[in-house]
Amino acid sequence: MSVATNHVRERACIAATARYVPQARVQPDVAFQQPAATPASARETIMRSVYADTLRWSREVAGPGPVDHSSKSVRVASEPHHLLSEMASTVAREAIRRCPGKDKLAPDQILVCATSFEHDLALSCAGRLHSELGSTGVPFAIGQLQGVSFFLALQVAADMMASEERMYTALIVAAERWLPPFSRQTGSLAALGDGAAAVLIRRHAGPGWHVRSVMVCTPFTSVSIPPHDPFVDEAAVVEIIGTTCTQAGLKPTALDWIVPPRINATLACEVNARARLPAERMWYPDPGDIGYLCAADAPVQLDMLLQSAAPADGQRILLWSAGFQGQAACAILEFRGS
């Protein structure tokens, strides 16, 4: 069973997007199998110890998980230097810079999405962005929903704009950086890459991509799948895609671009087919080019699409994603030229 929420918000409009994907590439299993370099400081030693204890506890509870050996040739984006919060800061500033208008005001609200940990556990990514950008609202983070995190942040931002008259701008920032001893492998579902993206949302922003509908579904009861075994609830994803289209009053044929997550390509195509989404309208870059960016995956792909598309009034984008514990999400954006 699951709980699902949906909202149609006419006010929320995407004013600007930005992304950062590092140039470096690595095989997803190399960093996990090879011994990590000697820690550079006492703090780094503590961080690795905390990470190792977390993984050790998880394996004792769940037992050893399956390892996928089918993606030996896959190479994913890997950030060798910048912290998670540094990547987040870079894309946040770029999104604000790209925002139309002369006044580059600080966002009223910052929402951070991440599944991986900041390398320095004493550092808050949300707190750092709040300090650097001078936002007026108290920042907060959404985690452990993998690709669904961005959709929940989008829903929360739209809700806040609808209920808070003084809230005009919200900045959603998603970033991931996977470091040893964490593995980049999630069975056969995906190989995790590093990257970050930001989406700036404004109320009554005029021409642009308006949030037509967004829905998030999360399980609220325990499932029979062992916690170490990641899975995608295909039925839940198909259902939420259909419900989102129905709530928006649209048929799948009315969609111009369909953007699935960079998970297993076969699985993504199967979900699209079961949801009766037009296959010829699927916008799906090579999933092996940078890997699955988890919480940052949807906003990175959205920025890539918006930078390459020449939209016309009334065109629509459908994005969907799924978490690895049964979560599902879908959003529909509509371009309004006036």
Side-chain angles (χ1 to χ4, degrees):
M1 298 184 67
S2 61
V3 58
T5 54
N6 174 72
H7 298 276
V8 177
R9 295 301 183 220
E10 300 297 335
R11 295 180 176 181
C13 175
I14 294 177
T17 61
R19 74 180 186 274
Y20 169 77
V21 179
Q23 294 295 321
R25 298 293 184 267
V26 65
Q27 288 187 345
D29 55 346
V30 170
F32 181 65
Q33 291 179 356
Q34 292 181 348
T38 303
S41 65
R43 171 171 286 184
E44 185 173 350
T45 301
I46 295 175
M47 296 304 108
R48 291 191 183 183
S49 177
V50 171
Y51 293 156
D53 283 344
T54 300
L55 289 172
R56 191 179 304 113
W57 174 83
S58 175
R59 288 172 184 147
E60 288 175 355
V61 172
V67 177
D68 177 51
H69 300 284
S70 62
S71 57
K72 292 297 183 182
S73 62
V74 173
R75 300 182 69 83
V76 299
S78 174
E79 175 50 55
H81 304 297
H82 298 304
L83 299 176
L84 182 148
S85 59
E86 290 175 332
M87 293 191 294
S89 178
T90 298
V91 294
R93 293 179 184 278
E94 179 62 16
I96 293 174
R97 188 192 67 81
R98 291 181 179 180
C99 186
K102 297 180 180 180
D103 297 327
K104 308 299 183 182
L105 301 177
D108 296 314
Q109 184 66 53
I110 295 175
L111 301 89
V112 173
C113 304
T115 306
S116 57
F117 291 125
E118 177 71 76
H119 188 54
D120 184 347
L121 291 181
L123 177 62
S124 164
C125 180
R128 173 175 181 166
L129 294 180
H130 175 70
S131 175
E132 291 182 352
L133 303 178
S135 61
T136 55
V138 177
F140 59 90
I142 298 173
Q144 306 314 312
L145 294 178
Q146 294 89 48
V148 172
S149 300
F150 168 74
F151 295 80
L152 182 57
L154 184 63
Q155 185 182 84
V156 170
D159 284 346
M160 294 180 71
M161 286 186 174
S163 59
E164 297 289 340
E165 290 297 327
R166 292 176 293 180
M167 182 174 169
Y168 292 93
T169 60
L171 180 66
I172 301 174
V173 184
E176 301 283 15
R177 187 187 183 209
W178 302 93
L179 296 170
F182 288 101
S183 173
R184 294 179 179 272
Q185 292 280 10
T186 57
S188 61
L189 291 177
L192 302 175
D194 300 342
V199 175
L200 185 65
I201 301 172
R202 297 179 65 181
R203 182 194 300 184
H204 298 302
W209 289 97
H210 289 248
V211 180
R212 176 77 179 259
S213 181
V214 57
M215 174 172 277
V216 174
C217 175
T218 56
F220 63 81
T221 57
S222 60
V223 294
S224 58
I225 304 295
H228 69 268
D229 191 2
F231 75 104
V232 168
D233 190 338
E234 294 183 49
V237 178
V238 171
E239 180 179 359
I240 207 168
I241 291 173
T243 305
T244 305
C245 290
T246 300
Q247 291 285 349
L250 299 172
K251 294 182 179 180
T253 54
L255 303 168
D256 297 279
W257 290 280
I258 297 160
V259 184
R262 276 195 186 86
I263 56 174
N264 181 290
T266 301
L267 174 61
C269 290
E270 289 177 353
V271 168
N272 282 354
R274 290 179 59 183
R276 298 185 177 181
L277 298 175
E280 68 277 9
R281 298 180 189 176
M282 183 171 73
W283 193 85
Y284 194 58
D286 180 6
D289 59 354
I290 61 176
Y292 174 57
L293 302 187
C294 217
D297 192 72
V300 164
Q301 295 215 88
L302 178 61
D303 179 74
M304 292 177 64
L305 174 57
L306 297 188
Q307 295 302 316
S308 62
D313 193 58
Q315 288 188 315
R316 304 175 182 100
I317 299 172
L318 181 145
L319 303 100
W320 66 263
S321 192
F324 296 147
Q325 290 83 36
Q327 308 95 329
C330 183
I332 295 176
L333 309 178
E334 181 174 278
F335 186 80
R336 298 178 187 173
S338 60

